């Protein structure tokens, strides 16, 4: 009898241990909640992806926007390190692309015109004389279809959007899929896929504004940046690349060694005048070698380090020069001048009109597939 008791006790202990293990393994979670209703009455939900370390990324179905991203500082304190709003209507009416998926074409296209096989396409001119970030209603302003996936290694959000032929002036029905995956290495992987039924152009990116200090109104000038690029693309005064690839050596654009954003931003340099600071595309090294580290940002006060990995040829480093203290921040202040920076992995601006730039054309039967990873650690 005693033996049987002992055996039963042993069995129940083992099963308890297994349940515990299972619980530990499935510490990834996705919470879904109502975020708001658009102006035309569509319901928008917010999904919060959590890993077992404590990192949390919130994403809404409107624009695939990352509304909040909690990363730990060197003391293990998790704080929100991205700019955004607390309500949907601000995203609809006044967002400078905070946290959004950008498409079909991230960045500028000169005068909103390009040609494919002798046919000219006309896009919205929504940024001075140029087209910017996909037009009046780009991918940052549409409702995405969302699916959740959670297992013991990751939490993913799969966003889909079917962009119709000639939507915002772009040819071809484009099926787009963006997968956000949070891992236990405190990385958010962003995978972009698309296919078309007509020759078109595609250049997707993610437009999060980071402030690693978690003081969302503070300027980012003391953040230390690296960009693995020997050259960058000088622009004209409307921020369209001239076509030249300029060596960064001896210029304020040299971030091959870690440098504070503020170190050279006030230098007398025509390019900094045109951008009102940094708002340029860097020509990344090691092109064609697949995914590699392309940039990093470090905040010495909090110890947060963000590393960006990508397979893309370019990265737009934007130092938040259009922020001017008018938008209200999530933490009760205002988004002051240069209180956030973006590292937008992408193809070069205006590529459809620059034959010397890597091609952004997508043909029927081809698959557009690219990946960027944002990885957080502390130092
Ligand atoms: C991109 C552009 C900037 C600016 C922001 C949004 O980064 O390059 O010039 O338009 O988007 O405000």
């Amino acid at each position: 009898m005693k033996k049987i008791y002992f055996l039963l006790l042993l069995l129940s202990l083992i099963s308890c241990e297994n349940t515990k293990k299972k619980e530990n393994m499935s510490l990834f979670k996705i919470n879904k909640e109502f975020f708001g209703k658009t102006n035309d009455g569509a319901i928008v939900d917010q999904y919060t992806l959590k890993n077992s370390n404590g990192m949390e990324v919130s994403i809404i179905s409107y624009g695939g926007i990352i509304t909040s991203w909690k990363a730990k500082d060197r003391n293990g304190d998790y704080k929100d390190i991205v700019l955004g709003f607390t309500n949907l209507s601000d995203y609809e009416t006044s967002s400078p692309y905070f946290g959004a998926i950008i498409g079909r074409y991230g960045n500028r296209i000169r005068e909103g015109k390009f040609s494919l096989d002798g046919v000219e396409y006309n896009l919205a001119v929504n940024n001075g004389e140029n087209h910017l970030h996909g037009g009046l209603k780009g991918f940052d302003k549409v409702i995405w279809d969302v699916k959740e996936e959670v297992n013991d290694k990751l939490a993913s959000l799969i966003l889909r959007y079917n962009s119709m032929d000639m939507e915002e002036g772009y040819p071809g029905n484009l099926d787009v899929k963006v997968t956000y995956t949070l891992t236990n290495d405190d990385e958010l992987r962003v995978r972009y896929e698309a296919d078309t039924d007509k020759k078109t152009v595609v250049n997707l990116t993610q437009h999060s504004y980071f402030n690693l200090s978690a003081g969302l109104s503070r300027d980012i000038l003391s953040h230390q940046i690296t960009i693995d690029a020997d050259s960058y693309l000088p622009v004209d005064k409307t921020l369209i690349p001239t076509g030249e690839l300029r060596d960064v050596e001896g210029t304020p654009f040299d971030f091959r060694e870690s440098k504070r954003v503020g170190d050279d931003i006030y230098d007398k340099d025509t390019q900094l005048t045109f951008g009102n600071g940094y708002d340029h595309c860097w020509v990344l090294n090691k092109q064609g070698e697949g995914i590699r580290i392309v940039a990093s940002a470090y905040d010495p006060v909090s110890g947060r380090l963000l590393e960006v990995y990508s397979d893309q040829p370019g990265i737009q480093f934007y130092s938040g020069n259009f922020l001017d203290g008018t938008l209200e921040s999530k933490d009760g202040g205002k988004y002051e001048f240069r209180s956030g920076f973006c590292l937008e992995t992408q193809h070069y601006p205006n590529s459809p009109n620059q034959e010397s730039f890597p091609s952004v054309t997508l043909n029927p039967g081809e698959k557009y597939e690219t990946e960027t990873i944002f990885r957080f650690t502390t130092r």
Side-chain angles (χ1 to χ4, degrees):
M1 199 59 185
K2 259 193 190 160
K3 264 188 191 161
I4 290 177
Y5 265 131
F6 184 70
L7 208 64
L8 281 174
L9 192 71
L10 203 67
L11 278 175
S12 84
L13 276 177
I14 289 172
S15 108
C16 230
E17 221 13 66
N18 277 343
T19 326
K20 259 199 215 154
K21 263 191 200 155
K22 264 191 200 142
E23 275 174 4
N24 279 337
M25 281 160 79
S26 58
L27 279 178
F28 282 93
K29 281 198 189 87
I30 300 184
N31 283 351
K32 179 181 172 184
E33 62 191 344
F34 172 76
F35 188 71
K37 253 189 194 171
T38 61
N39 228 348
D40 24 329
I43 287 179
V44 173
D45 290 318
Q46 175 164 269
Y47 300 79
T48 301
L49 281 53
K50 301 182 189 186
N51 70 11
S52 62
N53 305 328
M55 176 163 278
E56 290 185 15
V57 186
S58 299
I59 296 159
I60 54 174
S61 47
Y62 179 85
I65 294 173
I66 297 176
T67 53
S68 152
W69 192 335
K70 290 183 184 144
K72 67 165 186 265
D73 65 8
R74 69 163 72 82
N75 302 319
D77 230 6
Y78 281 85
K79 291 253 171 67
D80 191 1
I81 45 86
V82 289
L83 277 54
F85 299 116
T86 50
N87 65 80
L88 186 60
S89 81
D90 284 347
Y91 279 111
E92 282 191 277
T93 57
S94 27
S95 183
Y97 307 94
F98 282 157
I101 294 169
I102 307 294
R104 291 191 194 189
Y105 200 91
N107 221 312
R108 294 175 176 79
I109 295 179
R110 191 177 57 225
E111 292 170 10
K113 285 192 176 79
F114 69 96
S115 297
L116 288 173
D117 296 336
V119 182
E120 187 179 89
Y121 295 97
N122 288 284
L123 312 168
V125 169
N126 58 338
N127 186 249
E129 60 200 55
N130 300 317
H131 173 84
L132 176 70
H133 291 339
L136 300 176
K137 192 174 181 187
F139 294 174
D140 58 299
K141 294 185 189 67
V142 301
I143 308 256
W144 293 72
D145 175 58
V146 182
K147 279 210 176 62
E148 306 168 37
E149 191 186 319
V150 185
N151 60 40
D152 51 8
K153 292 198 180 65
L154 53 84
S156 283
L157 220 54
I158 301 140
L159 282 72
R160 282 179 181 273
Y161 179 66
N162 292 334
S163 173
M164 274 164 30
D165 186 24
M166 295 312 286
E167 184 172 319
E168 287 295 324
Y170 292 95
N173 288 295
L174 190 78
D175 279 350
V176 192
K177 180 175 164 191
V178 176
T179 309
Y180 285 115
T181 300
L182 180 64
T183 73
N184 247 348
D185 295 324
D186 283 355
E187 49 179 35
L188 186 74
R189 296 172 164 253
V190 191
R191 183 163 191 79
Y192 307 86
E193 291 161 82
D195 52 59
T196 183
D197 59 0
K198 226 191 242 174
K199 197 173 196 171
T200 191
V201 296
V202 191
N203 187 29
L204 306 179
T205 190
Q206 221 294 329
H207 210 297
S208 281
Y209 286 65
F210 297 97
N211 189 323
L212 302 181
S213 78
L216 299 181
S217 309
R218 247 178 256 154
D219 74 56
I220 46 85
L221 297 181
S222 60
H223 282 58
Q224 298 165 8
I225 302 286
T226 66
I227 303 175
D228 188 17
D230 295 337
S231 53
Y232 78 105
L233 302 173
V235 290
D236 65 18
K237 59 178 188 317
T238 74
L239 300 182
I240 294 288
T242 58
E244 176 194 347
L245 273 59
R246 190 175 290 171
D247 202 328
V248 295
E249 180 84 46
T251 76
F253 293 81
D254 192 351
F255 284 96
R256 291 173 299 180
E257 306 262 299
S258 162
K259 185 173 76 182
R260 296 187 326 154
V261 180
D263 279 354
D264 301 334
I265 206 168
Y266 294 109
D267 279 16
K268 279 215 165 65
D269 179 293
T270 318
Q271 284 301 316
L272 289 173
T273 311
F274 286 166
N276 195 24
Y278 295 107
D279 194 354
H280 296 76
C281 186
W282 270 253
V283 175
L284 292 169
N285 295 336
K286 305 195 185 88
Q287 290 192 14
E289 291 183 24
I291 195 150
R292 77 282 194 213
I293 184 157
V294 294
S296 71
Y298 176 64
D299 169 41
V301 179
S302 67
R304 288 190 185 89
L305 171 68
L306 163 64
E307 289 172 321
V308 183
Y309 298 76
S310 183
D311 54 16
Q312 289 292 283
I315 195 166
Q316 182 87 4
F317 170 48
Y318 169 56
S319 52
N321 316 308
F322 289 113
L323 300 172
D324 60 4
T326 50
L327 301 172
E328 253 175 67
S329 74
K330 285 184 277 186
D331 57 3
K334 302 269 186 199
Y335 289 123
E336 303 295 346
F337 186 46
R338 297 183 179 149
S339 57
F341 66 88
C342 303
L343 287 166
E344 306 156 46
T345 53
Q346 57 189 242
H347 270 253
Y348 310 160
N350 196 35
S351 295
N353 297 307
Q354 271 289 358
E355 266 183 32
S356 58
F357 287 176
S359 169
V360 289
T361 306
L362 185 71
N363 292 297
E366 287 173 357
K367 190 161 184 196
Y368 174 91
E369 220 171 349
T370 103
E371 189 168 32
T372 291
I373 301 171
F374 299 94
R375 181 161 183 264
F376 284 90
T377 50
T378 57
R379 247 189 354 218

